[in-house]
Amino acid sequence: MADVVRVVAADDPVRPLFSPAGELTADARGTLGLSPDELRDLYHKMVWIRRTDQEALNLQRQGELGLWGPYQGQEAIHVGTVAALRPTDWIFPSYREFGMGMCRGIDPAEMLTLFRGLSHGPWDPRRYHFAPLVIPVASQVPHAVGMAMGSRFKHGDDVVLSTFGDGATSKGDWHEAMNFAGVFRAPVVFLCQNNRWAISVPLAKQTAGSIAERAQGYGFPGIRIDGNDVLAVLAAVRAAAARARQGDGPYLIEAMTYRMGPHTTSDDPTRYRSETDLERWNVKDPIPRYREWLQGQGLIDEASLAAINREVETAVEATRNRLKSAPVPAAGEAIFGRVYQHPPDSFLEERQEFESSLESN
Amino acid sequence: MEPVTMAKAINLSLRDALAGDDDVLVFGEDVGTLGGVFRITDGLQKAFGSDRVFDTPLAESAIIGICIGLALRGFKPVPEIQFDGFIYPAFDQIVSHVAKYRNRTGVSMPITIRVPFGGRIGAVEHHSESPEAYFTHTAGLKVVAPSTPGDAYALLQSAIADPDPVIFFEPKARYYLKEEIDTAKEVPIGQARVARGGSGVTVIAYGPTVGIALDAAKAAEKENISLEVIDLRSLSPLDMPTILASLQKTHRAIVVHEAPVFGGFGGEIVARIADDGFDLLEAPIARIGGMDTPYPPARYEKLYLPDVDRILEAADLALAYG
Ligand SMILES: Cc1ncc(C[n+]2csc(CCOP(=O)(O)OP(=O)(O)O)c2C)c(N)n1
């Protein structure tokens, strides 16, 4: 037991970057080595994914989307994580990581077709190294571990990022995956987005202990960090990924944040939480916080802020237009098209029958 | 009594069960403070306290697994699985233990697992499934699916009172249909009802498809075709006498469910009729259901699900046969 803890502490490259409270230290912030353009781009991306989130909410209200799960408040995690990884490092998201997908280069209009009821999985995960959005909570975590084991077996130099909510850490799938990762020393970074709510269930009712500290029980390190600081997220994921890449195994990052919106557009949070919590977290909003930091460093001026806003507005409008003008895929293809690679004859007959019944109606 | 929705009827039934028996417990994801994502458990925590109505961590396997221990301790657990598509993590506990514990130990397992099921609500993936056949295939379980507020109230009373485990499927697309209910009326598990009398073709349905079958019967009447609609209410055990009595009149049958037809529960109904009522039949029995594909994205669900036209077409074929 003691041995495990000691080994874990000795090879932890993430912890030295953080204060005991999980804040990125000033020293670590100074040695990130990002160019002014890269630092501004993090801001640009956070604004872009937030505006897209708001737009999706509007589109849902207008009936253009069936459902929407807002990620407002969690933008620093979405943007910082993707920036910390190589484009070939796979990401296995749950359902709220729309912004991560955007940062990976997936067209938001294409992704939105899922919420428009047109597709269960609008993109090819292999093209973006971004697995499909997954709804059954925590079920994607073992997938990430399998990919990481595969990378090790094939002597790849890629790592895998597995992300999930605080609620997910209650599931058996999550624990089984963590244990596999430890046993097989899989190059995987587990990133818990602890937004303190699982629909109406608050963190205190989800777990009586610490999520980050559970990693030790599986034989690898874990840390709790400030998830509303984009540079903190970037630094932690980058260091944990570098460690995994050099063969030192998994790492668990618990990024503390807050779900500012409803669980989804079907949810009514006034039934279970108060405005005061929201106000408390509003102060920590990752976007103004980072903007002020950039301004303090003299890295961004009013003109470039205005330019970013203009660019984002144009992008969001284009997304909306692409979404609305996208053709509705034919029903036969949408229902039957991707079920089998080698469809049985009976299946093809059923499809044919279905398609001819459409024609005759 | 004022007409109530099925959602309210289930709420009332849970309320009466909690009030009538201190050993009844209601729990699951979001059922406490929120009152459930469909508000089925609305107000119950306030009325009965958080020791009897409580939110659990997000863990279906444990939600069902703890029922075994609670039942051994004398409780009557009534857990909620939030959606049909999230029952699978609990499958092992249901099949390996809930269903088999009595056979292993002689100890009763009075557990009622409530599951909103079925489609037609425009949802994203995993929220519209019909997994009933996995459970009807498992000995030791009883499986029911009401289609009206009154039956939902009464069947839930029967399920909670039953010493054996019951999977209680609630057709979520019918949660907000209203009807006057009589809480004194009993509906034992294992009894179908004739939802509409008729003489031409028997339409056998349950849960979400009963409404479509009734709509089809109304439409058929205009063409002078008489459909008798049977609402099974209980899938396991299955009320064969009611089905056979109907076939004595009609000699023709159609089975309708939302689940895919291949390996679906309709196959069991058809096989039983072939066993027990072969001589009654004057036409092959049609099965109408979802396609043998995963439940499609919302935009396509109306095309995937059984509808009035498919029932009418099958009725025409059955009547024209031979
Ligand atoms: C296995 C499973 N059970 C239940 C649900 C319904 N559900 C969807 S999201 C959710 C809460 C998830 O909370 P968390 O993991 O903290 O993620 P967050 O939504 O906060 O991002 C629940 C209960 C589900 N999708 N999957």
Side-chain angles (χ1 to χ4, degrees):
Chain A
M1 223 9 238
D3 274 342
V4 172
V5 175
R6 208 158 3 92
V7 170
V8 158
D11 74 352
D12 184 340
V14 183
R15 192 161 294 274
L17 308 177
F18 287 85
S19 76
E23 307 285 341
L24 188 65
T25 65
D27 280 358
R29 202 177 292 272
T31 54
L32 282 170
L34 298 175
S35 71
D37 275 345
E38 286 168 326
L39 288 166
R40 277 190 293 269
D41 188 54
L42 297 175
Y43 177 75
H44 187 152
K45 288 217 164 72
M46 286 201 287
V47 174
W48 176 46
I49 69 172
R50 173 163 299 181
R51 267 295 289 122
T52 307
D53 182 28
Q54 288 165 343
E55 188 59 27
L57 209 55
N58 293 338
L59 287 165
Q60 197 279 338
R61 291 202 185 105
Q62 294 157 15
E64 299 286 344
L65 302 178
L67 181 84
W68 179 244
Y71 46 80
Q72 190 193 328
Q74 300 178 218
E75 293 88 349
I77 300 176
H78 287 207
V79 170
T81 297
V82 178
L85 297 169
R86 297 181 184 166
T88 46
D89 293 334
W90 275 76
I91 295 174
F92 286 75
S94 64
Y95 41 81
R96 212 182 286 288
E97 283 69 51
F98 196 89
M100 278 191 196
M102 288 172 66
C103 294
R104 260 297 161 88
I106 310 177
D107 179 356
E110 193 181 339
M111 277 195 281
L112 282 172
T113 60
L114 190 154
F115 297 92
R116 201 167 162 78
L118 293 176
S119 169
H120 288 325
W123 62 92
D124 183 339
R126 294 163 298 191
R127 178 161 167 211
Y128 301 97
H129 300 92
F130 194 78
L133 299 185
V134 161
I135 293 171
V137 169
S139 58
Q140 78 281 8
V141 186
H143 308 174
V145 173
M147 172 66 78
M149 288 167 64
S151 163
R152 228 202 70 199
F153 296 161
K154 291 203 168 177
H155 309 290
D157 69 347
D158 57 311
V159 302
V160 178
L161 184 114
S162 167
T163 185
F164 42 81
D166 41 301
T169 67
S170 296
K171 293 273 308 169
D173 273 355
W174 185 85
H175 290 273
E176 293 174 29
M178 295 281 286
N179 188 43
F180 264 60
V183 166
F184 290 95
R185 261 182 115 72
V188 53
V189 177
F190 296 105
L191 175 68
C192 177
Q193 299 188 51
N194 187 341
N195 66 12
R196 307 191 83 90
W197 292 95
I199 310 188
S200 73
V201 178
L203 185 59
K205 285 209 233 169
Q206 196 62 248
T207 174
S210 146
I211 292 169
E213 283 172 21
R214 288 185 207 165
Q216 298 232 345
Y218 296 107
F220 52 89
I223 191 173
R224 176 180 268 204
I225 66 160
D226 176 356
N228 278 18
D229 174 357
V230 66
L231 296 181
V233 174
L234 189 148
V237 174
R238 202 162 70 175
R243 175 179 175 280
R245 218 181 293 283
Q246 73 187 34
D248 291 339
Y251 201 101
L252 171 62
I253 299 165
E254 180 186 9
M256 303 306 288
T257 181
Y258 200 79
R259 195 194 78 209
M260 299 300 285
H263 170 66
T264 65
T265 44
S266 305
D267 181 34
D268 173 11
T270 62
R271 290 175 66 101
Y272 55 82
R273 70 182 192 187
S274 74
E275 285 292 316
T276 43
D277 278 349
L278 277 183
E279 283 159 21
R280 224 157 37 82
W281 279 90
N282 235 338
V283 179
K284 302 187 198 173
D285 187 323
I287 295 181
R289 227 175 115 185
Y290 186 56
R291 182 176 60 228
E292 280 156 28
W293 182 82
L294 285 173
Q295 285 168 326
Q297 301 288 311
L299 287 169
I300 205 157
D301 57 17
E302 288 305 319
S304 34
L305 286 173
I308 286 173
N309 285 342
R310 271 197 311 276
E311 251 181 77
V312 163
E313 287 311 315
T314 312
V316 169
E317 196 187 325
T319 294
R320 185 173 54 228
N321 292 338
R322 275 200 308 285
L323 177 77
K324 289 191 181 177
S325 61
V328 174
E333 185 55 25
I335 298 175
F336 291 88
R338 295 206 298 194
V339 181
Y340 294 102
Q341 183 164 351
H342 297 299
D345 289 347
S346 57
F347 185 85
L348 292 173
E349 276 162 31
E350 192 176 347
R351 175 173 180 169
Q352 215 159 40
E353 238 172 72
F354 170 71
E355 288 177 329
S356 47
S357 80
L358 288 182
E359 279 160 26
S360 63
N361 281 339
Chain B
M1 195 175 185
E2 287 280 289
V4 297
T5 60
M6 180 183 287
K8 184 69 190 171
I10 299 171
N11 179 277
L12 288 174
S13 197
L14 289 170
R15 200 175 279 270
D16 290 349
L18 283 157
D21 184 343
D22 285 347
D23 288 331
V24 171
L25 301 178
V26 169
F27 52 88
E29 294 157 9
D30 304 287
V31 304
T33 313
L34 180 64
V37 295
F38 290 106
R39 309 291 183 261
I40 303 298
T41 54
D42 190 21
L44 298 183
Q45 186 172 68
K46 231 182 213 142
F48 297 96
S50 50
D51 284 344
R52 298 193 58 208
V53 179
F54 52 89
D55 288 325
T56 65
L58 205 172
E60 288 79 8
S61 179
I63 289 171
I64 302 304
I66 62 166
C67 292
I68 301 284
L70 287 165
L72 286 169
R73 196 69 189 208
F75 287 99
K76 293 179 183 144
V78 188
E80 173 181 293
I81 295 292
Q82 197 163 82
F83 278 91
D84 36 56
F86 307 136
I87 199 168
Y88 307 119
F91 197 64
D92 181 35
Q93 287 292 343
I94 296 174
V95 172
S96 303
H97 296 300
V98 172
K100 298 190 176 92
Y101 219 82
R102 183 167 210 298
N103 187 50
R104 191 177 301 136
T105 61
V107 184
S108 296
M109 286 289 139
I111 299 165
T112 302
I113 303 174
R114 294 184 35 250
V115 194
F117 89 125
R120 222 179 283 274
I121 62 161
V124 291
E125 207 184 353
H126 313 287
H127 292 74
S128 304
E129 313 218 334
S130 297
E132 62 272 18
Y134 301 125
F135 302 101
T136 57
H137 187 59
T138 301
L141 301 175
K142 296 174 182 172
V143 180
V144 302
S147 78
T148 67
D151 281 352
Y153 178 92
L155 261 181
L156 187 54
Q157 292 291 309
S158 299
I160 295 172
D162 201 295
D164 289 316
V166 180
I167 314 280
F168 191 88
F169 282 114
E170 301 168 2
K172 63 177 96 84
R174 296 174 70 80
Y175 267 155
Y176 304 110
L177 292 184
K178 277 193 178 181
E179 167 188 276
E180 270 184 48
I181 66 169
D182 173 4
T183 56
K185 203 185 102 196
E186 288 187 18
V187 177
I189 290 174
Q191 257 183 33
R193 82 185 164 102
V194 177
R196 180 186 167 112
S199 57
V201 181
T202 302
V203 183
I204 302 166
Y206 55 87
T209 53
V210 173
I212 305 151
L214 289 170
D215 289 346
K218 262 180 241 152
E221 195 174 33
K222 290 187 196 126
E223 299 167 26
N224 285 324
I225 294 172
S226 166
L227 302 185
E228 173 146 307
V229 177
I230 294 182
D231 175 358
L232 288 179
R233 302 196 289 201
S234 173
L235 311 191
S236 175
L238 180 61
D239 179 1
M240 281 311 292
T242 298
I243 293 174
L244 293 172
S246 177
L247 281 172
Q248 302 271 6
K249 286 191 292 185
T250 63
H251 307 287
R252 294 164 181 85
I254 299 168
V255 180
V256 195
H257 54 54
E258 288 192 1
V261 168
F262 194 97
F265 185 66
E268 181 61 29
I269 301 171
V270 174
R272 294 260 158 177
I273 295 174
D275 281 348
D276 303 342
F278 186 74
D279 294 335
L280 297 174
L281 290 177
E282 285 177 17
I285 307 173
R287 284 183 290 160
I288 298 176
M291 289 156 202
D292 296 311
T293 67
Y295 198 90
R299 185 73 65 101
Y300 306 97
E301 72 178 339
K302 286 209 180 86
L303 297 171
Y304 170 93
L305 290 168
D307 60 17
V308 167
D309 285 344
R310 280 163 73 191
I311 295 176
L312 293 178
E313 216 173 286
D316 285 345
L317 282 174
L319 288 165
Y321 187 82

